[in-house]
Amino acid sequence: MSSTTSDSPTPGEPEPTAAEQRQCCENWQAVRERVATACHQAGRGPDTVRIVGVTKYVGLAATRALIEAGCRDLGESRPQALWEKAAAFATVDRSLQWHLIGHLQRNKVPRTVACGALIQTLDSERLAIALNQAAVAAGVSCEVLLEVNVSADPGRSGVVPAAAGDLLEMVAGLPGLLPRGVMGMASHPDAGIDPRQDFAHLRTLRDTLAKHCPAAGELPELSMGMSGDFEAAILEGSTMVRIGSALFESLR
Ligand SMILES: *Cc1c(COP(=O)(O)O)cnc(C)c1O
């Protein structure tokens, strides 16, 4: 536990061991290479996909290891964990972008907006109103993705595809919100559906939304793909993959 990384951490913030740091760098490089290979197969440049490192499984030390490895986009599913980690690393690196990828309760909106987080899970008008209020009060504009339940799985969150257009129209009229695109997940593996089919569906939906709601802007972001299926998502046009387990293998 006495090993240290090259620069000194913020006081009180746990540090990864040298072995953990090495493992995390290896995992980061391996994921980057897989992303680059999938981009190549899709005829896209390697920088057209952002890797959002999902830190929900790990504490501050492993999160720090991932930042040291080079990851700048970080995702958390619980708002409190996002606040805590964003605060811990705000002075270490100001270029970090946090992403909320889990459910956001309205009473947790102001603090999450204050962290400058991109909200990937906007799925209701009530949440849009709360986010807009907080953003306007803070004098910021809050980037959001509409979370769409493409597989129409009743156990999943997200707006159903048929209701996404109305939600987007509403969001486009709120001065504090900046819609950037959509987020979604492939069907549960038990459903026996090829993930590419769900990803293609999400891309088509995004294209349709952009066409029918010009006020929302271009909607450039398609957040789709996780550790088990990100290559398929990249082949279908993903611009943001949300990777947890593949980055923290042998590190938990
Ligand atoms: C946990 C989580 C991920 C990352 O999943 P892995 O399979 O560990 O890569 C991505 N997106 C969401 C919404 C999640 O909750």
Side-chain angles (χ1 to χ4, degrees):
M1 290 300 289
S2 61
S3 321
T4 54
T5 45
S6 52
D7 57 346
S8 57
T10 308
E13 175 212 318
E15 257 191 296
T17 64
E20 286 167 340
Q21 184 61 63
R22 207 160 37 237
Q23 182 67 54
C24 192
C25 285
E26 266 173 39
N27 294 351
W28 171 246
Q29 283 311 326
V31 167
R32 290 208 349 149
E33 277 164 32
R34 286 173 60 189
V35 166
T37 302
C39 284
H40 183 73
Q41 274 171 15
R44 306 169 55 190
D47 297 330
T48 60
V49 176
R50 269 202 272 176
I51 302 170
V52 178
V54 174
T55 56
K56 69 185 181 193
Y57 311 109
V58 299
L60 291 175
T63 300
R64 181 181 175 90
L66 185 63
I67 294 168
E68 295 270 325
C71 186
R72 289 293 167 273
D73 285 280
L74 299 160
E76 268 296 333
S77 46
R78 288 189 310 117
Q80 292 100 320
L82 186 151
W83 305 340
E84 191 191 322
K85 286 176 181 161
F89 296 109
T91 53
V92 174
D93 191 323
R94 288 174 196 286
S95 68
L96 297 178
Q97 172 67 57
W98 285 90
H99 300 250
L100 185 76
I101 61 168
H103 180 67
L104 180 57
Q105 291 154 291
R106 280 173 300 152
N107 63 348
K108 305 211 167 93
V109 160
R111 273 191 80 169
T112 309
V113 167
C115 292
L118 188 158
I119 310 298
Q120 297 212 3
T121 49
L122 177 54
D123 64 353
S124 75
E125 300 202 346
R126 283 177 2 142
L127 180 57
I129 289 166
L131 282 167
N132 179 61
Q133 229 167 33
V136 169
V140 297
S141 106
C142 176
E143 292 189 300
V144 296
L145 304 184
L146 297 198
E147 182 182 3
V148 181
N149 185 357
V150 256
S151 58
D153 180 340
R156 289 262 172 91
S157 49
V159 63
V160 293
D166 284 348
L167 179 57
L168 183 64
E169 286 285 353
M170 187 248 182
V171 168
L174 296 173
L177 299 189
L178 194 58
R180 300 282 297 156
V182 299
M183 180 272 238
M185 260 181 240
S187 300
H188 192 277
D190 294 349
I193 294 169
D194 181 349
R196 277 191 72 163
Q197 196 178 317
D198 290 320
F199 295 142
H201 182 181
L202 191 60
R203 171 171 43 82
T204 308
L205 178 73
R206 185 277 309 268
D207 295 347
T208 307
L209 290 172
K211 196 156 112 202
H212 291 298
C213 184
E218 279 187 37
L219 307 180
E221 303 290 355
L222 259 179
S223 173
M224 54 189 199
M226 314 185 357
S227 293
D229 58 16
F230 68 86
E231 278 109 340
I234 290 170
L235 291 174
E236 292 299 339
S238 174
T239 62
M240 275 185 196
V241 291
R242 309 177 307 270
I243 312 290
S245 15
L247 289 172
F248 293 110
E249 240 163 285
S250 329
L251 261 171
R252 293 185 214 174

XYZ file of all heavy atoms in Angstrom, residues 122-220:
703
model
N -33.057 11.662 -18.887
C -34.283 12.468 -18.882
C -35.407 11.652 -19.529
O -35.314 11.276 -20.698
C -34.050 13.774 -19.646
C -35.279 14.680 -19.772
C -35.898 14.989 -18.429
C -34.914 15.965 -20.483
N -36.437 11.365 -18.734
C -37.493 10.488 -19.251
C -38.901 10.955 -18.900
O -39.858 10.204 -19.081
C -37.282 9.042 -18.774
C -37.406 8.919 -17.263
O -37.511 9.953 -16.574
O -37.392 7.774 -16.766
N -39.044 12.187 -18.377
C -40.399 12.663 -18.083
C -40.458 14.187 -18.126
O -39.436 14.871 -17.967
C -40.856 12.182 -16.699
O -40.201 12.927 -15.691
N -41.668 14.707 -18.335
C -41.847 16.160 -18.359
C -41.612 16.748 -16.977
O -41.072 17.847 -16.841
C -43.265 16.492 -18.854
C -43.495 15.940 -20.251
C -44.603 16.635 -21.028
O -45.389 17.379 -20.414
O -44.651 16.437 -22.261
N -42.008 16.004 -15.946
C -41.789 16.506 -14.580
C -40.310 16.702 -14.288
O -39.895 17.695 -13.697
C -42.390 15.543 -13.549
C -43.896 15.679 -13.478
C -44.593 14.717 -12.535
N -43.774 13.813 -11.765
C -44.021 13.477 -10.499
N -45.036 14.003 -9.857
N -43.262 12.609 -9.883
N -39.507 15.753 -14.703
C -38.062 15.881 -14.491
C -37.497 17.020 -15.340
O -36.634 17.780 -14.891
C -37.359 14.554 -14.806
C -35.840 14.534 -14.628
C -35.427 14.925 -13.203
C -35.263 13.157 -14.977
N -37.987 17.172 -16.565
C -37.516 18.257 -17.432
C -37.784 19.616 -16.784
O -36.926 20.510 -16.799
C -38.194 18.172 -18.800
N -38.973 19.765 -16.178
C -39.324 21.031 -15.546
C -38.396 21.310 -14.360
O -37.886 22.423 -14.194
C -40.818 21.015 -15.112
C -41.703 21.071 -16.367
C -41.133 22.161 -14.160
C -43.162 20.734 -16.123
N -38.147 20.277 -13.559
C -37.267 20.442 -12.396
C -35.840 20.787 -12.829
O -35.186 21.668 -12.255
C -37.281 19.176 -11.549
N -35.346 20.118 -13.867
C -33.986 20.385 -14.360
C -33.882 21.798 -14.914
O -32.897 22.514 -14.680
C -33.613 19.378 -15.459
C -33.198 17.975 -15.006
C -33.182 17.024 -16.196
C -31.823 18.000 -14.319
N -34.914 22.212 -15.651
C -34.908 23.549 -16.232
C -34.880 24.617 -15.143
O -34.115 25.579 -15.224
C -36.137 23.734 -17.118
C -36.197 25.115 -17.738
O -35.299 25.498 -18.489
N -37.218 25.892 -17.404
N -35.704 24.399 -14.119
C -35.770 25.347 -13.002
C -34.393 25.499 -12.341
O -33.924 26.612 -12.095
C -36.733 24.791 -11.963
C -37.768 25.767 -11.463
C -38.842 25.001 -10.686
O -38.565 23.999 -10.028
N -40.072 25.479 -10.773
N -33.749 24.363 -12.083
C -32.445 24.391 -11.413
C -31.391 25.046 -12.298
O -30.547 25.820 -11.825
C -32.019 22.971 -11.045
N -31.445 24.750 -13.600
C -30.449 25.304 -14.514
C -30.629 26.818 -14.637
O -29.646 27.575 -14.601
C -30.557 24.633 -15.885
N -31.868 27.265 -14.767
C -32.134 28.695 -14.889
C -31.699 29.418 -13.609
O -31.033 30.450 -13.653
C -33.635 28.961 -15.211
C -33.973 30.436 -15.069
C -33.961 28.464 -16.621
N -32.025 28.823 -12.452
C -31.644 29.424 -11.171
C -30.127 29.533 -11.039
O -29.605 30.498 -10.481
C -32.220 28.607 -10.017
N -29.412 28.543 -11.558
C -27.950 28.544 -11.452
C -27.300 29.324 -12.598
O -26.076 29.487 -12.616
C -27.435 27.105 -11.438
N -28.104 29.771 -13.562
C -27.556 30.509 -14.692
C -26.706 29.642 -15.612
O -25.756 30.131 -16.224
N -27.030 28.362 -15.701
C -26.264 27.476 -16.583
C -27.213 26.826 -17.585
O -28.425 26.901 -17.441
C -25.543 26.351 -15.794
C -24.526 26.944 -14.842
C -26.527 25.455 -15.051
N -26.626 26.185 -18.601
C -27.485 25.380 -19.429
C -27.093 23.924 -19.211
O -25.934 23.581 -19.100
C -27.487 25.944 -20.826
O -26.870 25.377 -21.756
N -28.114 23.106 -19.048
C -27.912 21.710 -18.642
C -28.095 20.805 -19.849
O -29.163 20.766 -20.461
C -28.924 21.372 -17.549
S -28.877 19.645 -17.023
N -27.020 20.080 -20.198
C -27.104 19.152 -21.330
C -27.856 17.894 -20.916
O -27.586 17.347 -19.836
C -25.708 18.761 -21.799
C -24.936 19.909 -22.427
C -23.656 19.406 -23.064
O -22.815 18.834 -22.342
O -23.496 19.582 -24.283
N -28.759 17.450 -21.789
C -29.545 16.259 -21.471
C -29.629 15.315 -22.673
O -29.546 15.738 -23.828
C -30.997 16.628 -21.044
C -31.005 17.440 -19.760
C -31.738 17.375 -22.149
N -29.780 14.040 -22.368
C -30.146 13.045 -23.370
C -31.497 12.483 -22.953
O -31.753 12.306 -21.765
C -29.129 11.889 -23.409
C -27.655 12.221 -23.654
C -26.847 10.920 -23.752
C -27.470 13.054 -24.909
N -32.366 12.217 -23.914
C -33.617 11.538 -23.610
C -33.313 10.056 -23.465
O -32.727 9.453 -24.365
C -34.642 11.695 -24.731
C -35.168 13.074 -25.096
C -36.458 12.924 -25.880
C -35.375 13.932 -23.877
N -33.683 9.488 -22.315
C -33.531 8.043 -22.166
C -34.752 7.372 -22.769
O -35.884 7.631 -22.372
C -33.396 7.648 -20.693
C -33.193 6.142 -20.553
C -33.099 5.661 -19.116
O -33.236 6.466 -18.177
O -32.901 4.442 -18.943
N -34.497 6.514 -23.754
C -35.591 5.864 -24.466
C -35.572 4.357 -24.178
O -34.518 3.715 -24.268
C -35.485 6.111 -25.992
C -36.648 5.455 -26.716
C -35.441 7.598 -26.299
N -36.708 3.840 -23.825
C -36.869 2.402 -23.593
C -37.170 1.742 -24.932
O -38.315 1.428 -25.242
C -37.990 2.194 -22.572
C -38.160 0.741 -22.167
O -37.476 -0.138 -22.688
N -39.069 0.498 -21.246
N -36.098 1.554 -25.738
C -36.299 1.035 -27.102
C -36.854 -0.366 -27.107
O -37.584 -0.745 -28.035
C -35.001 0.946 -27.965
C -34.955 2.049 -28.966
C -33.765 0.779 -27.174
N -36.479 -1.161 -26.115
C -36.932 -2.551 -26.123
C -38.334 -2.669 -25.544
O -38.894 -3.761 -25.496
C -35.956 -3.418 -25.336
O -35.836 -2.950 -24.011
N -38.908 -1.522 -25.099
C -40.257 -1.498 -24.507
C -40.396 -2.539 -23.406
O -41.463 -3.115 -23.195
C -41.342 -1.690 -25.579
N -39.299 -2.783 -22.697
C -39.269 -3.720 -21.579
C -39.908 -3.031 -20.372
O -39.441 -1.975 -19.947
C -37.791 -4.063 -21.314
C -37.605 -5.037 -20.170
O -38.519 -5.175 -19.334
O -36.525 -5.655 -20.123
N -40.999 -3.601 -19.825
C -41.693 -2.921 -18.721
C -40.814 -2.760 -17.468
O -41.076 -1.884 -16.641
C -42.902 -3.823 -18.440
C -42.655 -5.105 -19.153
C -41.642 -4.850 -20.218
N -39.771 -3.564 -17.342
C -38.871 -3.444 -16.190
C -37.809 -2.376 -16.367
O -36.988 -2.153 -15.475
N -37.789 -1.708 -17.522
C -36.754 -0.732 -17.814
C -37.282 0.684 -17.702
O -38.464 0.936 -17.948
C -36.246 -0.931 -19.250
C -35.423 -2.184 -19.453
C -33.957 -1.845 -19.395
N -33.096 -3.017 -19.406
C -32.607 -3.580 -20.497
N -32.922 -3.099 -21.675
N -31.809 -4.621 -20.402
N -36.384 1.608 -17.401
C -36.800 3.009 -17.366
C -36.657 3.600 -18.763
O -36.184 2.954 -19.693
C -35.965 3.778 -16.354
O -34.610 3.520 -16.563
N -37.061 4.858 -18.892
C -36.982 5.512 -20.190
C -38.363 5.751 -20.756
O -39.321 5.042 -20.445
N -38.437 6.766 -21.612
C -39.699 7.095 -22.260
C -39.920 6.078 -23.394
O -38.953 5.622 -24.012
C -39.638 8.568 -22.761
C -38.559 8.763 -23.822
C -40.969 9.048 -23.280
N -41.166 5.685 -23.631
C -41.409 4.749 -24.735
C -41.207 5.509 -26.057
O -41.438 6.720 -26.120
C -42.817 4.107 -24.685
C -42.941 3.197 -23.474
C -43.915 5.149 -24.702
N -40.735 4.817 -27.098
C -40.432 5.506 -28.356
C -41.562 6.411 -28.855
O -41.310 7.532 -29.312
C -40.153 4.362 -29.330
C -39.629 3.255 -28.472
C -40.371 3.370 -27.165
N -42.809 5.958 -28.713
C -43.937 6.732 -29.247
C -44.128 8.065 -28.525
O -44.731 8.988 -29.066
C -45.213 5.897 -29.156
N -43.609 8.183 -27.290
C -43.795 9.417 -26.518
C -42.563 10.322 -26.564
O -42.568 11.429 -26.009
C -44.134 9.073 -25.065
N -41.496 9.867 -27.211
C -40.243 10.623 -27.197
C -40.379 11.971 -27.912
O -39.795 12.978 -27.485
C -39.122 9.789 -27.820
N -41.156 12.002 -28.995
C -41.316 13.235 -29.766
C -41.947 14.353 -28.948
O -41.471 15.485 -28.964
N -43.003 14.021 -28.204
C -43.673 15.030 -27.379
C -42.754 15.533 -26.277
O -42.712 16.734 -25.971
C -44.951 14.448 -26.737
C -46.085 14.333 -27.761
O -45.941 14.910 -28.868
O -47.094 13.669 -27.457
N -42.013 14.609 -25.668
C -41.089 15.024 -24.598
C -40.006 15.949 -25.173
O -39.678 16.982 -24.585
C -40.457 13.791 -23.931
C -39.456 14.067 -22.811
C -40.065 14.915 -21.686
C -38.890 12.761 -22.222
N -39.488 15.602 -26.342
C -38.444 16.430 -26.942
C -38.955 17.829 -27.298
O -38.260 18.824 -27.072
C -37.863 15.742 -28.184
C -36.717 16.495 -28.853
C -35.494 16.588 -27.929
C -36.327 15.846 -30.176
N -40.169 17.906 -27.845
C -40.767 19.210 -28.174
C -40.787 20.095 -26.934
O -40.483 21.289 -26.975
C -42.212 19.045 -28.652
C -42.385 18.489 -30.053
C -42.060 19.500 -31.151
O -41.826 20.686 -30.835
O -42.012 19.071 -32.327
N -41.185 19.487 -25.831
C -41.300 20.218 -24.592
C -39.917 20.678 -24.096
O -39.713 21.837 -23.736
C -41.976 19.292 -23.580
C -42.330 19.943 -22.283
S -41.299 19.237 -21.001
C -41.942 20.121 -19.603
N -38.957 19.768 -24.143
C -37.594 20.085 -23.700
C -36.997 21.211 -24.553
O -36.321 22.116 -24.041
C -36.702 18.818 -23.764
C -35.240 19.166 -23.603
C -37.139 17.812 -22.701
N -37.270 21.158 -25.851
C -36.715 22.158 -26.768
C -37.224 23.559 -26.435
O -36.577 24.559 -26.757
C -37.063 21.796 -28.207
N -38.374 23.656 -25.761
C -38.926 24.949 -25.395
C -38.459 25.461 -24.038
O -38.878 26.539 -23.610
N -37.606 24.713 -23.345
C -37.150 25.129 -22.013
C -35.768 25.779 -22.123
O -34.832 25.144 -22.612
C -37.105 23.916 -21.073
C -38.460 23.261 -20.790
C -38.281 21.975 -19.983
C -39.387 24.228 -20.066
N -35.633 27.029 -21.671
C -34.399 27.760 -21.913
C -33.169 27.188 -21.195
O -32.047 27.373 -21.649
C -34.708 29.167 -21.383
C -35.834 28.985 -20.405
C -36.635 27.830 -20.937
N -33.378 26.453 -20.084
C -32.232 25.956 -19.319
C -31.708 24.615 -19.791
O -30.669 24.151 -19.311
N -32.415 23.985 -20.723
C -32.007 22.633 -21.144
C -31.469 22.629 -22.566
O -31.980 23.316 -23.447
C -33.190 21.655 -21.054
C -33.795 21.455 -19.669
C -34.801 20.310 -19.696
C -32.719 21.194 -18.620
N -30.424 21.837 -22.764
C -29.818 21.690 -24.078
C -29.885 20.227 -24.484
O -29.059 19.421 -24.044
C -28.356 22.159 -23.984
C -27.610 22.402 -25.267
C -28.303 23.441 -26.129
C -26.175 22.825 -24.953
N -30.897 19.852 -25.291
C -30.985 18.441 -25.695
C -29.855 18.095 -26.654
O -29.615 18.808 -27.623
C -32.352 18.340 -26.381
C -32.780 19.726 -26.691
C -31.999 20.673 -25.831
N -29.155 16.997 -26.359
C -27.996 16.605 -27.164
C -28.194 15.285 -27.899
O -27.360 14.927 -28.725
C -26.756 16.483 -26.258
C -26.380 17.771 -25.544
C -25.656 18.734 -26.458
N -24.398 18.170 -26.916
C -23.780 18.540 -28.039
N -24.298 19.463 -28.808
N -22.639 17.970 -28.386
N -29.244 14.537 -27.546
C -29.437 13.263 -28.219
C -30.223 12.297 -27.368
O -31.018 12.719 -26.519
N -29.981 11.015 -27.593
C -30.739 9.991 -26.883
C -29.810 8.941 -26.280
O -28.667 8.772 -26.704
C -31.765 9.287 -27.807
C -32.776 10.268 -28.359
C -31.071 8.555 -28.946
N -30.332 8.266 -25.278
C -29.602 7.181 -24.621
C -30.517 5.965 -24.522
O -31.729 6.121 -24.368
C -29.191 7.632 -23.220
C -28.428 6.624 -22.402
S -29.447 5.490 -21.426
C -28.825 5.829 -19.793
N -29.929 4.783 -24.649
C -30.747 3.594 -24.501
C -29.904 2.353 -24.293
O -28.673 2.396 -24.338
N -30.601 1.265 -24.032
C -29.968 -0.021 -23.753
C -30.571 -1.082 -24.641
O -31.759 -1.013 -24.979
C -30.298 -0.430 -22.325
C -29.199 -0.156 -21.348
S -29.759 -0.725 -19.741
C -29.659 0.807 -18.867
N -29.777 -2.096 -24.982
C -30.296 -3.232 -25.747
C -31.222 -4.053 -24.856
O -31.154 -3.966 -23.633
C -29.142 -4.084 -26.246
N -32.065 -4.839 -25.474
C -32.972 -5.723 -24.737
C -32.192 -6.652 -23.815
O -31.021 -6.955 -24.056
C -33.751 -6.610 -25.712
O -34.497 -5.825 -26.593
N -32.870 -7.129 -22.802
C -32.273 -8.132 -21.915
C -31.847 -9.339 -22.760
O -32.583 -9.759 -23.657
C -33.316 -8.547 -20.870
C -32.720 -9.334 -19.751
N -32.503 -10.685 -19.839
C -32.260 -8.948 -18.536
C -31.940 -11.100 -18.714
N -31.780 -10.069 -17.909
N -30.642 -9.891 -22.483
C -30.147 -11.009 -23.293
C -31.157 -12.164 -23.407
O -31.234 -12.813 -24.456
C -28.894 -11.471 -22.549
C -28.455 -10.297 -21.742
C -29.659 -9.452 -21.486
N -31.957 -12.393 -22.359
C -32.947 -13.479 -22.404
C -34.002 -13.280 -23.488
O -34.666 -14.231 -23.890
C -33.675 -13.604 -21.055
C -32.745 -14.056 -19.949
O -31.610 -14.476 -20.280
O -33.141 -13.982 -18.764
N -34.176 -12.049 -23.944
C -35.208 -11.774 -24.939
C -34.844 -12.343 -26.312
O -35.696 -12.446 -27.195
C -35.448 -10.274 -25.051
N -33.557 -12.718 -26.486
C -33.131 -13.335 -27.737
C -33.138 -12.385 -28.928
O -33.284 -12.814 -30.069
N -32.992 -11.088 -28.662
C -32.979 -10.108 -29.752
C -31.536 -9.658 -29.993
O -30.802 -9.389 -29.047
C -33.869 -8.893 -29.376
C -35.331 -9.339 -29.292
C -33.701 -7.761 -30.392
C -36.255 -8.325 -28.675
N -31.136 -9.599 -31.244
C -29.805 -9.126 -31.584
C -29.673 -7.664 -31.123
O -30.489 -6.822 -31.520
C -29.638 -9.219 -33.112
C -28.253 -8.773 -33.581
O -27.491 -8.204 -32.779
O -27.953 -8.993 -34.768
N -28.667 -7.357 -30.285
C -28.537 -5.978 -29.804
C -28.449 -4.953 -30.939
O -28.924 -3.822 -30.802
C -27.251 -5.969 -28.972
C -26.676 -7.336 -29.042
C -27.654 -8.243 -29.708
N -27.887 -5.367 -32.067
C -27.774 -4.408 -33.191
C -29.136 -3.918 -33.638
O -29.275 -2.779 -34.097
C -27.034 -5.042 -34.383
C -25.518 -4.944 -34.201
C -24.781 -5.304 -35.459
N -24.887 -4.282 -36.510
C -24.079 -4.224 -37.554
N -23.133 -5.125 -37.691
N -24.234 -3.278 -38.464
N -30.133 -4.792 -33.506
C -31.485 -4.412 -33.898
C -32.006 -3.282 -32.998
O -32.575 -2.301 -33.484
C -32.358 -5.664 -33.760
C -33.676 -5.611 -34.464
C -34.401 -6.947 -34.273
O -33.801 -8.039 -34.375
N -35.681 -6.877 -33.973
N -31.793 -3.406 -31.679
C -32.212 -2.345 -30.753
C -31.429 -1.050 -31.018
O -31.977 0.047 -30.962
C -31.977 -2.773 -29.303
C -32.934 -3.872 -28.856
O -34.127 -3.810 -29.220
O -32.482 -4.790 -28.146
N -30.131 -1.201 -31.273
C -29.302 -0.012 -31.499
C -29.702 0.697 -32.800
O -29.738 1.925 -32.862
C -27.810 -0.383 -31.512
C -27.305 -0.895 -30.189
C -26.373 -1.929 -30.124
C -27.748 -0.345 -28.995
C -25.897 -2.407 -28.905
C -27.285 -0.811 -27.762
C -26.355 -1.841 -27.722
N -30.007 -0.097 -33.819
C -30.446 0.494 -35.092
C -31.774 1.232 -34.893
O -31.986 2.328 -35.432
C -30.594 -0.597 -36.150
N -32.635 0.640 -34.075
C -33.931 1.239 -33.767
C -33.730 2.603 -33.072
O -34.363 3.610 -33.420
C -34.696 0.259 -32.867
C -36.076 0.695 -32.489
N -36.883 -0.041 -31.676
C -36.796 1.797 -32.795
C -38.042 0.575 -31.498
N -38.011 1.702 -32.165
N -32.802 2.634 -32.122
C -32.532 3.876 -31.392
C -31.963 4.955 -32.327
O -32.338 6.122 -32.261
C -31.568 3.599 -30.229
C -31.390 4.714 -29.207
C -32.714 5.069 -28.537
C -30.369 4.326 -28.140
N -31.071 4.540 -33.225
C -30.494 5.506 -34.169
C -31.578 6.068 -35.099
O -31.660 7.283 -35.333
C -29.390 4.854 -34.995
C -28.909 5.738 -36.148
C -27.671 5.203 -36.853
N -27.711 3.773 -37.083
C -28.338 3.188 -38.098
N -28.980 3.900 -38.988
N -28.318 1.869 -38.224
N -32.428 5.190 -35.599
C -33.506 5.632 -36.476
C -34.436 6.596 -35.747
O -34.859 7.617 -36.295
C -34.318 4.402 -36.952
O -33.398 3.464 -37.485
C -35.314 4.786 -38.010
N -34.714 6.273 -34.486
C -35.580 7.143 -33.681
C -34.932 8.526 -33.515
O -35.586 9.554 -33.670
C -35.838 6.512 -32.311
C -36.699 7.371 -31.384
C -38.148 7.370 -31.851
C -36.621 6.875 -29.945
N -33.623 8.539 -33.224
C -32.920 9.816 -33.088
C -33.017 10.632 -34.386
O -33.303 11.829 -34.375
C -31.446 9.562 -32.713
C -30.619 10.813 -32.410
C -30.066 11.526 -33.632
N -29.357 10.669 -34.555
C -28.053 10.454 -34.506
N -27.324 11.027 -33.576
N -27.469 9.676 -35.409
N -32.804 9.950 -35.523
C -32.867 10.640 -36.813
C -34.253 11.242 -37.046
O -34.392 12.374 -37.509
C -32.527 9.672 -37.955
C -31.082 9.173 -37.890
O -30.288 9.764 -37.118
O -30.751 8.194 -38.583
N -35.275 10.463 -36.698
C -36.651 10.933 -36.869
C -36.941 12.128 -35.962
O -37.542 13.125 -36.385
C -37.642 9.783 -36.538
O -37.270 8.650 -37.309
C -39.068 10.171 -36.859
N -36.488 12.034 -34.707
C -36.712 13.133 -33.763
C -36.047 14.411 -34.263
O -36.638 15.492 -34.226
C -36.144 12.774 -32.377
C -36.863 11.680 -31.588
C -36.056 11.323 -30.335
C -38.280 12.094 -31.211
N -34.817 14.285 -34.747
C -34.079 15.465 -35.209
C -34.799 16.115 -36.390
O -34.848 17.337 -36.519
C -32.645 15.081 -35.580
N -35.381 15.281 -37.234
C -36.062 15.796 -38.414
C -37.368 16.490 -38.048
O -37.689 17.563 -38.567
C -36.342 14.626 -39.370
C -36.687 15.062 -40.769
C -36.390 13.967 -41.774
C -37.686 13.435 -42.346
N -37.564 12.089 -42.902
N -38.117 15.875 -37.128
C -39.440 16.420 -36.800
C -39.426 17.514 -35.748
O -40.427 18.164 -35.516
C -40.389 15.292 -36.387
C -40.734 14.393 -37.527
N -41.407 14.848 -38.643
C -40.458 13.078 -37.760
C -41.547 13.843 -39.507
N -40.973 12.767 -38.997
N -38.289 17.684 -35.073
C -38.222 18.728 -34.055
C -36.956 19.555 -34.248
O -36.011 19.457 -33.474
C -38.262 18.108 -32.657
S -38.291 19.326 -31.331
N -36.928 20.377 -35.321
C -35.710 21.154 -35.595
C -35.328 22.081 -34.436
O -34.152 22.396 -34.266
C -36.062 21.934 -36.865
C -37.525 21.768 -37.092
C -37.974 20.572 -36.330
N -36.319 22.495 -33.625
C -36.015 23.384 -32.499
C -35.072 22.735 -31.492
O -34.401 23.415 -30.716
C -37.309 23.796 -31.797
N -35.002 21.408 -31.497
C -34.138 20.701 -30.545
C -32.679 20.698 -30.994
O -31.801 20.253 -30.259
C -34.627 19.269 -30.354
N -32.402 21.181 -32.211
C -31.028 21.166 -32.701
C -30.693 19.817 -33.316
O -31.587 19.025 -33.629
N -29.407 19.562 -33.457
C -28.989 18.397 -34.248
C -29.042 17.043 -33.561
O -28.946 16.021 -34.223
C -27.567 18.628 -34.747
C -27.529 19.512 -35.979
C -26.125 19.585 -36.535
O -25.418 18.565 -36.501
O -25.742 20.680 -36.972
N -29.111 17.006 -32.254
C -29.108 15.739 -31.504
C -27.950 14.827 -31.935
O -28.170 13.692 -32.393
C -30.441 15.004 -31.665
C -31.713 15.792 -31.348
C -32.945 14.902 -31.555
C -31.699 16.324 -29.920
N -26.710 15.317 -31.813
C -25.578 14.531 -32.318
C -25.253 13.283 -31.497
O -24.610 12.369 -32.010
C -24.401 15.512 -32.245
C -24.784 16.493 -31.179
C -26.280 16.614 -31.253
